Amino acid sequence: MPAVTADPLTLTRLPRLPEQDTAWRPVAKVVTAAKHLEGEGFQVRRPFPGIDLSLADPFLLLDHMGAVEYAPGEAKGTPWHPHRGFETVTYIIDGAFQHQDTTGGGGLITDGATQWMTAGAGIQHIEQPTPELVAKGGLFHGVQLWVNLPRAQKRVPPRYQDIESRDVALLSSDDGSSVVRVIAGELAGHQGPGVTYTPITYLHATVAPGARLTLPWPRDFNALVYALSGRGQAGPDGRPVDEGQLAVFGKGDALTVTAADSQPSASRNGWEILILGGLPIREPIARYGPFVMNTRQEIIEAFEDFQAGRMGAIPAERVPHRSPADESLA
C-alpha cells in the first residue's frame, strides 16, 4: 500500500468529462516489462527501452523496483556512477533509499518522496538501501524514470530537487473513488512540485476496485500507463493491463482507465498505476551506458570528461575500501 494516501472524498475532484464529445485516446500497444539486474544485483522490471523510444519520448527508461519484502542482508543498491545529458527521477512508494551525489545533493528518499537529479553537464551519484533495511530487511517499492534533455539543455549545470511526500498535490477522480498524486507537471489546472526542463506530467494513481478514472490530457503530449500492482483495463476498448505491463496510448484529448472489480490481495485498495506523458523532443539520441547525448562524438567526449575527473569527485569518506587508517595518512 502506498505511503502517501488520503480519503478521496476530502480531496479536490477532477472534472467530469463528457462521454460523447471527448476524443478518448485508444491504446496502441501493451508491453510487458522485461526483468534485468541492476547495480549490485537487485532486480528491476523495465518496460522501456525495449519499445520504439519515439513512443516514449521524452522518457528514456523506466525501472520498477519491487515491491519486495527483503530478508536481512538482501537489500542492494548501486555503486558510484556518472551521468550526463538527462534527468533521473527516483520515486520511493514504500520503504527507504539513500542518495548522494558529487554536488552535495542527496539524502533519504522514503515513503512517497521523490528525488529529482538533473545530471546535465555531468555528475556522479550513489543510491543505497538504508543500513536499517540491510540489517533488518523490510518492504521496498520504488521506480526510477529517466527524462531526456533537449540538445540546448544537455550541458546545464547539475541540480537537485528533494520532493517530500507532503509536497505532492493530491486529487480525486470525478466520482471521489480514487486518489491521484501529481508529482510533476499539470493536471486539470493543478500543478505538481517537480520542476522540469522538458514539459511532462508524472502521476501516481490508486484506482479503486471496479472504478473508472478519466483524465484530460494535452493533445501534443504522448501518454503511457504502467501498472505497479493490480490489474485493470486501459482505453475506450478496455485493453487489459496487469502488473508489470505498460499501455502506450494513441492520439486524443483524454485518457480513460478502469480497475478490475477483483484485485490481488496485495492490491486490495485498488489498481496502482503510473501515468506519464510529455512533449516529445524529437532529436537524435546517442546513448551508451550512463550517458545520453545527440551524437557519437558527444558520447566520446562524455567518457573523456568522466575519466579526466570533470564530473565531480567522490567524497573521500565514501570511497570504497578507504579505511580510517588510510585517512590518517592523507
Coordinates of all heavy atoms in Angstrom, one line a residue, residues 27 56 59 61-62 73 109 114 173-175 196 211 223 229 235 263 268-270:
V27 N -5.6 2.7 -27.0 CA -4.4 2.0 -26.6 C -3.8 1.4 -27.9 O -4.4 0.6 -28.5 CB -4.6 0.9 -25.6 CG1 -3.3 0.1 -25.3 CG2 -5.1 1.6 -24.2
A56 N 7.9 6.7 -26.4 CA 8.1 7.2 -25.0 C 8.7 8.6 -24.9 O 8.6 9.2 -23.8 CB 9.0 6.2 -24.2
F59 N 10.8 10.4 -22.5 CA 11.3 9.5 -21.5 C 12.2 8.5 -22.1 O 12.0 8.0 -23.3 CB 10.1 8.8 -20.8 CG 9.1 9.7 -20.2 CD1 7.8 9.7 -20.7 CD2 9.4 10.6 -19.2 CE1 6.9 10.6 -20.3 CE2 8.5 11.5 -18.7 CZ 7.2 11.5 -19.2
L61 N 13.9 5.7 -20.0 CA 13.9 4.5 -19.2 C 13.0 4.5 -18.1 O 12.8 5.6 -17.4 CB 15.4 4.2 -18.8 CG 15.6 3.0 -17.8 CD1 17.0 2.4 -18.1 CD2 15.6 3.4 -16.4
L62 N 12.4 3.4 -17.7 CA 11.6 3.2 -16.5 C 12.0 1.9 -15.9 O 11.8 0.9 -16.5 CB 10.1 3.3 -16.8 CG 9.2 3.1 -15.6 CD1 9.3 4.3 -14.7 CD2 7.7 2.9 -16.0
G73 N 20.0 -8.6 5.1 CA 21.2 -8.8 4.3 C 20.9 -8.8 2.8 O 21.8 -8.9 2.0
I109 N 15.4 9.1 0.7 CA 14.2 9.1 -0.1 C 13.3 8.0 0.6 O 13.6 6.8 0.6 CB 14.4 8.7 -1.5 CG1 15.7 9.2 -2.1 CG2 13.2 9.1 -2.4 CD1 16.1 8.7 -3.5
T114 N 10.3 11.9 -3.6 CA 10.9 11.8 -4.9 C 12.2 12.6 -4.9 O 12.2 13.7 -4.3 CB 10.0 12.4 -6.0 OG1 8.7 11.7 -6.0 CG2 10.6 12.3 -7.4
S173 N -10.6 11.3 -8.3 CA -11.4 11.1 -9.5 C -12.7 11.9 -9.4 O -13.1 12.3 -8.4 CB -11.6 9.6 -9.8 OG -12.3 9.1 -8.6
D174 N -13.3 12.0 -10.6 CA -14.6 12.8 -10.6 C -15.7 12.3 -9.7 O -16.5 13.0 -9.3 CB -15.1 13.0 -12.1 CG -15.4 11.7 -12.8 OD1 -15.5 10.7 -12.1 OD2 -15.4 11.7 -14.0
D175 N -15.6 11.0 -9.4 CA -16.7 10.4 -8.6 C -16.2 10.2 -7.1 O -16.9 9.7 -6.3 CB -17.1 9.0 -9.1 CG -16.0 8.0 -9.1 OD1 -14.8 8.3 -8.8 OD2 -16.2 6.8 -9.6
T196 N 10.6 20.9 -14.1 CA 11.2 20.1 -15.3 C 11.7 21.1 -16.3 O 11.2 22.2 -16.6 CB 10.1 19.2 -15.9 OG1 9.1 20.0 -16.6 CG2 9.4 18.4 -14.8
A211 N -13.6 0.9 -10.2 CA -13.8 2.3 -10.5 C -13.1 2.7 -11.8 O -12.2 2.0 -12.3 CB -13.2 3.1 -9.4
A223 N 1.3 9.6 -24.1 CA 0.6 9.1 -22.9 C 1.0 7.6 -22.7 O 0.8 6.8 -23.6 CB -0.9 9.3 -23.0
S229 N 0.9 -2.4 -9.6 CA 0.4 -3.6 -9.0 C -1.1 -3.7 -9.3 O -1.7 -2.6 -9.6 CB 0.6 -3.6 -7.4 OG -0.2 -2.6 -6.8
G235 N -8.0 2.5 -22.0 CA -8.6 2.9 -23.2 C -10.0 2.6 -23.4 O -10.6 1.9 -22.6
Q263 N -9.2 -7.6 -7.2 CA -7.8 -7.3 -7.2 C -7.0 -8.3 -6.4 O -7.6 -8.9 -5.5 CB -7.5 -5.9 -6.7 CG -8.1 -4.7 -7.5 CD -7.4 -4.5 -8.8 OE1 -6.2 -4.9 -9.0 NE2 -8.0 -3.9 -9.8
R268 N -5.4 -4.8 -2.6 CA -6.9 -4.7 -2.2 C -7.4 -3.3 -2.2 O -8.7 -3.1 -2.3 CB -7.0 -5.4 -0.8 CG -6.2 -4.7 0.3 CD -6.3 -5.5 1.6 NE -5.6 -4.8 2.7 CZ -4.3 -5.0 2.9 NH1 -3.6 -5.8 2.1 NH2 -3.7 -4.4 3.9
N269 N -6.6 -2.3 -2.1 CA -7.1 -0.9 -2.1 C -7.3 -0.4 -3.5 O -7.8 0.7 -3.6 CB -6.1 0.0 -1.3 CG -6.1 -0.3 0.2 OD1 -7.1 -0.3 0.8 ND2 -4.9 -0.6 0.7
G270 N -6.8 -1.1 -4.5 CA -7.0 -0.7 -5.8 C -5.8 -1.0 -6.8 O -4.8 -1.5 -6.4

